[in-house]
Amino acid sequence: MTHEKRYHQCTICEACCGLEFEVEDERVVSIRGDAEDVFSHGFICPKGAALAELHEDPDRLRQPLLRRGGELVPASWDEAFEAIDAALRPLVAEQGADAVGVYLGNPAAHSTSLVTYVQALLTGFRTRNRFSASTVDQIPKQLATGLMFGTALSVPIPDIDRSRFLLMLGANPMASNGSLFTVPDFRGRARRLRERGGRLVVVDPRRSETAKIADEHVPIRPGTDALLLAGMLHTLFDEGLADLGGVAEHSQGLAALENAMRAFAPETVAARCGVEAGTIRRLARELAAADGGCVYGRIGTTTTEFGTTASWLVDALNAVAGQLDRPGGAMFPKAAAFAANTRGRPGAGGGLRVHRHTSRVRGAPEVLGEFPCACLAEEIETPGEGQIRALITIAGNPAVSTPNTGRLSRALEGLDFMLSLDFYLNETTRHADVILPAPSPLEHSHFDVIFPQLSVRNWVRYSPPVFGRAPGQPEEWETLLRLLGVLLGQGPKPDIEALEEMVIGLQVNAATKAEGSPLSGRDPAELRADLEPRRGPERLVDLALRSGPYGDHFGARPEGLSLARLEAEPHGIDLGALESRIPEVLRTPSGKVELAPELLMADLSRLAAELERPAPALSLVGRRHVRSNNSWMHNLPMLAKGPLRCTLQIHPDDAAARDLRDGAEARVSARAGEVRAVVEVTRDIAPGVVSLPHGWGHDEPGTRLAIAAEKPGTNSNRLADEQVLDPLSGTAALNGIPVEVAPA
Ligand SMILES: Nc1nc2c(c(=O)[nH]1)N[C@H]1C(S)=C(S)[C@@H](COP(=O)(O)OP(=O)(O)OC[C@H]3O[C@@H](n4cnc5c(=O)[nH]c(N)nc54)[C@H](O)[C@@H]3O)O[C@H]1N2
Ligand SMILES: Nc1nc2c(c(=O)[nH]1)N[C@H]1C(S)=C(S)[C@@H](COP(=O)(O)OP(=O)(O)OC[C@H]3O[C@@H](n4cnc5c(=O)[nH]c(N)nc54)[C@H](O)[C@@H]3O)O[C@H]1N2
Ligand code: SF4
Ligand SMILES: [Mo]
């Protein structure tokens, strides 16, 4: 019997915990937080502990499925790719690349294979019809920070470990473990913040788990955070508290911002927000006075009609209160690899260009190369040139996650062909003609590309696979390259090695030619020889690390980082506390922090008009639970046990007015659709607001999710309106949906 410990990063959520696996005879016997991990120090949540169940889940697909005579049946990889080639090659040849839509889901950001090679797929195959979970999530923040700081991932993070005041809006890290804020053990860090005399304030229509451990909970009317933030900014200017500190000389637009905020006095916005003007003024003063303080906004602020504006005002507030880029405030991480804000010439750059073209049917503008996923159904349904006739979903479940899923599910049925890269037969993939499974999260190596760019400390870590792959199971980057070959007309068995060589070749050449690159002028052939014998993501990671800000620069800085160095450190390498980075971090064309970007300023009249709009009698918001992850971990016994979590939370007064009792079934209706949900009467939710989590509704026919189907819950996105978006970013307003609730 063999018995050993193996270390691997958890890739379920953004906290990036290092885990310790005890393995006996190639089976997991225990999973713990890795106490020696330099970043997460032993923290783990129930989802990390459930990774063995995910690995062993009998419903997890281990073989491609292919539709034959209406049924999805097991097939070989070659048969699956023959079917894909037969469907896609003529379609692309006749109707062009836009006839094939691509939807990218959230786990793509957590998989090294997918993050590094989806880009290759989408540069090689240029369809305009690109969609992703980003437009039901964080794109407003990326757009705002891109315009302010120059790249779409230059997001300032709360420096919580040194902070003395943290104001959180629309985020519940006690359940979510943080987002655009990689912060393993939020609870411990929040406790230490309070122990050092700091204050935690939570703005949320719900008394969330985070509100419960905070010093103060401020209930707010859904969708009005941008107004509240504008009221705080107004206060700073009005009371002479505006002071940018060291950032002043590196910023522009302050006067324009001050002028624009005049319309949003706390006394003007208070009634619409449902927050007293005195509270808004006090919070602004507290932020400005804090010896290290920060405002942070997340899902409850981004997935609203004013998502981009709210995201902008969060960082404008941090700047104007003198809390941007200082210890304890909002700071920029410096990742070891792949960060656009560590590439090119420090201090200025091309900035973010958006709204370069518009979607065919609705004319929604492109942002970061994609269209709103709220437009997906109409792009499939509406005939004409550029109509989507085939769809590829990669690690996504849009039939549950995106607005008006009733309409989208019908649209998916009307496709000529659908391919899904996924390891579950679920609400989305049941519509597919071919499903290609990914390896389990324990069967591939991991190097985190995205989240070190959003972390409370600088760190780096590489995890080899815990287990070898099942025979015949390709790595997911190989599947992507094979698909690229098919889309390029190379047939069902393209030369994957040649495609891989092409990808690394382009990267090496770019690194030797780019302005400001430490490899500038080096010989590409020499670098490529130095990367041997690595292939795939490992080769790209090694290149990125070695050419990155801590890298060995291929021998020029021998003490620097390389993948080989990381392989010797299973618990990761700590790269230190966050450091001030302005102006070096900036990539705006002006070389300044843009406090008042034109695109955002132009939208303020819409925000002012919002002051006049009556609030709905009842509005729906979402929530998360620590034992659930979006739509796809409900099939694991450890997480599924316990009470039903997909309940409609409602305040006792609202329940009484509608004759609804705790545990009864309610009918919830909105413009987009209607659902039934079990009522949970609770004072934890503000009057006038109801809450239903997303990611449920596992009772659709044709899925294979035995455990999830036992407690299916309700698909809340049947209620979300695909017509109601934040117009700047295309992000759907998933919070603040007007609904009516009645006994079923
Ligand atoms: N109403 C409402 N709706 C929401 C939200 C909300 O707060 N409220 N939140 C939104 C947010 S923030 C997000 S991120 C989206 C998520 O939206 P999606 O990304 O569309 O949905 P997920 O539930 O994350 O589904 C992920 C899929 O990827 C598969 N998968 C997991 N790992 C892998 C892998 O390694 N490879 C492959 N190929 N597949 C894999 C899973 O089986 C699952 O089918 O939902 C959004 N929808
Ligand atoms: N356990 C678990 N962890 C997760 C996930 C998961 O599904 N489960 N999903 C992961 C993903 S993909 C993401 S993006 C992150 C999201 O992480 P978070 O942003 O922390 O998301 P939530 O936990 O949904 O918290 C959002 C909060 O916003 C509140 N809210 C709703 N509307 C409004 C509003 O208009 N204004 C204000 N101020 N508040 C509002 C809700 O009541 C809720 O408490 O979590 C990640 N981590
Ligand atoms: S908080 Fe939980 S799900 Fe998130 S990375 Fe850590 S163990 Fe995984
Ligand atoms: Mo997300």
Side-chain angles (χ1 to χ4, degrees), residues 691-705:
S691 164
L692 191 61
H694 75 286
W696 297 85
H698 303 302
D699 48 2
E700 299 288 354
T703 61
R704 191 181 301 165
L705 297 161

Side-chain angles (χ1 to χ4, degrees), residues 114-233:
L114 292 178
V115 191
T116 50
Y117 280 89
V118 158
Q119 200 47 46
L121 177 75
L122 294 173
T123 11
F125 180 70
R126 293 185 167 275
T127 171
R128 273 195 180 190
N129 282 318
R130 292 170 52 184
F131 305 84
S132 85
S134 293
T135 47
V136 276
D137 191 350
Q138 84 293 344
I139 264 203
K141 189 74 197 171
Q142 293 192 273
L143 173 54
T145 52
L147 295 173
M148 292 177 80
F149 309 117
T151 89
L153 266 182
S154 292
V155 179
I157 304 304
D159 184 24
I160 185 170
D161 293 342
R162 290 177 288 189
S163 189
R164 288 169 188 280
F165 178 72
L166 181 50
L167 174 63
M168 310 190 93
L169 305 100
N172 186 13
M174 287 294 291
S176 69
N177 283 299
S179 182
L180 302 182
F181 182 24
T182 286
V183 57
D185 191 20
F186 173 81
R187 183 200 290 270
R189 291 174 203 262
R191 190 188 64 235
R192 290 191 288 279
L193 174 145
R194 299 182 62 205
E195 282 167 1
R196 79 179 84 92
R199 259 170 50 80
L200 174 65
V201 182
V202 173
V203 179
D204 197 309
R206 234 166 31 90
R207 213 166 87 83
S208 66
E209 292 80 354
T210 307
K212 284 179 184 163
I213 64 150
D215 298 277
E216 184 179 351
H217 170 217
V218 180
I220 186 170
R221 192 165 281 148
T224 64
D225 296 77
L227 288 169
L228 179 124
L229 293 160
M232 287 180 67
L233 265 166

Side-chain angles (χ1 to χ4, degrees), residues 139-360:
I139 264 203
K141 189 74 197 171
Q142 293 192 273
L143 173 54
T145 52
L147 295 173
M148 292 177 80
F149 309 117
T151 89
L153 266 182
S154 292
V155 179
I157 304 304
D159 184 24
I160 185 170
D161 293 342
R162 290 177 288 189
S163 189
R164 288 169 188 280
F165 178 72
L166 181 50
L167 174 63
M168 310 190 93
L169 305 100
N172 186 13
M174 287 294 291
S176 69
N177 283 299
S179 182
L180 302 182
F181 182 24
T182 286
V183 57
D185 191 20
F186 173 81
R187 183 200 290 270
R189 291 174 203 262
R191 190 188 64 235
R192 290 191 288 279
L193 174 145
R194 299 182 62 205
E195 282 167 1
R196 79 179 84 92
R199 259 170 50 80
L200 174 65
V201 182
V202 173
V203 179
D204 197 309
R206 234 166 31 90
R207 213 166 87 83
S208 66
E209 292 80 354
T210 307
K212 284 179 184 163
I213 64 150
D215 298 277
E216 184 179 351
H217 170 217
V218 180
I220 186 170
R221 192 165 281 148
T224 64
D225 296 77
L227 288 169
L228 179 124
L229 293 160
M232 287 180 67
L233 265 166
H234 176 101
T235 306
L236 295 183
F237 292 119
D238 187 43
E239 301 189 4
L241 300 171
D243 178 2
L244 278 77
V247 171
E249 61 173 310
H250 303 293
S251 60
Q252 64 181 22
L254 186 66
L257 182 66
E258 172 170 10
N259 207 21
M261 290 301 118
R262 284 192 218 284
F264 302 100
E267 294 70 22
T268 309
V269 302
R272 188 70 184 79
C273 299
V275 180
E276 282 177 24
T279 305
I280 299 175
R281 285 191 179 267
R282 176 173 52 79
L283 291 174
R285 290 178 202 131
E286 272 192 80
L287 176 68
D291 182 10
C294 183
V295 190
Y296 161 84
R298 202 47 197 97
I299 270 292
T301 62
T302 55
T303 52
T304 69
E305 284 177 75
F306 295 94
T308 306
T309 305
S311 299
W312 161 43
L313 296 179
V314 162
D315 286 319
L317 250 181
N318 281 323
V320 175
Q323 301 292 5
L324 182 64
D325 203 39
R326 65 166 279 194
M331 301 192 79
F332 297 99
K334 189 186 217 168
F338 297 106
N341 66 32
T342 62
R343 289 199 187 139
R345 186 159 61 86
L352 191 69
R353 270 164 309 185
V354 293
H355 298 190
R356 291 167 293 186
H357 51 268
T358 53
S359 71
R360 185 179 62 105

